[in-house]
Amino acid sequence: MRSVAGCAPALIGCQEGVASEAESAAWGAMGQPAKVLQLFKTLHRTRQQVFKNDKRALEARVKINEEFKKHKNETSPEKIKEMVKIGSDVELLLRTSVIQGIHTDHDTLQLVPRKDLLTENVPYCDAPTLKQ
């Protein structure tokens, strides 16, 4: 997890997952300051969901805030666009790949997957569906 928090550098602008054409058009129409604010909010919401009830991991908040402050005076559209991509990738990675584990014994972990990560995993199913 420490390495995931370290992936937070250069976070500006974010779009969740794969967007529809309408969402992509709306995203493209947003000005860069609006994209930055949207990313900031999205990263914090994702952080709260992914690291729920984990006080130590929730401190990723500090890293997110530091990175935004560090890059707040960036003016190059190319550099901002690059940071938008990095921020989007980090948010997607956190949202789709991180599962919490709780130590139950000295050598045992209990995994606590979020509902949005649970999919119906039927053998030979090309398109898994969400569990009900």
Side-chain angles (χ1 to χ4, degrees):
M1 178 173 63
R2 187 168 170 247
S3 62
V4 173
C7 292
L11 303 175
I12 298 182
C14 182
Q15 177 178 354
E16 290 187 22
V18 178
S20 67
E21 288 182 29
E23 289 172 328
S24 294
W27 181 257
M30 291 176 75
Q32 283 184 338
K35 289 179 184 180
V36 172
L37 182 59
Q38 179 66 34
L39 169 64
F40 186 78
K41 289 178 178 181
T42 302
L43 280 169
H44 278 293
R45 285 186 193 116
T46 301
R47 171 192 60 85
Q48 288 174 332
Q49 291 170 354
V50 170
F51 302 128
K52 189 175 189 178
N53 299 325
D54 187 344
K55 291 179 183 176
R56 183 171 174 221
L58 283 170
E59 290 303 314
R61 170 186 155 283
V62 173
K63 182 67 174 170
I64 293 169
N65 291 343
E66 282 176 5
E67 292 302 323
F68 273 86
K69 285 178 186 174
K70 183 167 67 174
H71 297 286
K72 74 178 182 178
N73 294 322
E74 184 62 54
T75 58
S76 167
E78 294 81 23
K79 182 71 174 169
I80 292 173
K81 189 172 184 178
E82 179 183 322
M83 290 187 282
V84 166
K85 176 70 174 132
I86 292 170
S88 175
D89 292 347
V90 169
E91 192 275 334
L92 181 64
L93 176 77
L94 286 172
R95 189 169 31 87
T96 60
S97 301
V98 176
I99 297 177
Q100 283 185 314
I102 300 171
H103 287 278
T104 56
D105 287 326
H106 71 281
D107 62 348
T108 309
L109 279 176
Q110 176 185 1
L111 297 180
V112 186
R114 296 177 313 283
K115 276 191 169 191
D116 57 334
L117 289 179
L118 297 176
T119 58
E120 189 66 46
N121 193 8
V122 178
Y124 311 108
C125 180
D126 290 332
T129 59
L130 290 176
K131 284 188 176 183
Q132 298 300 340

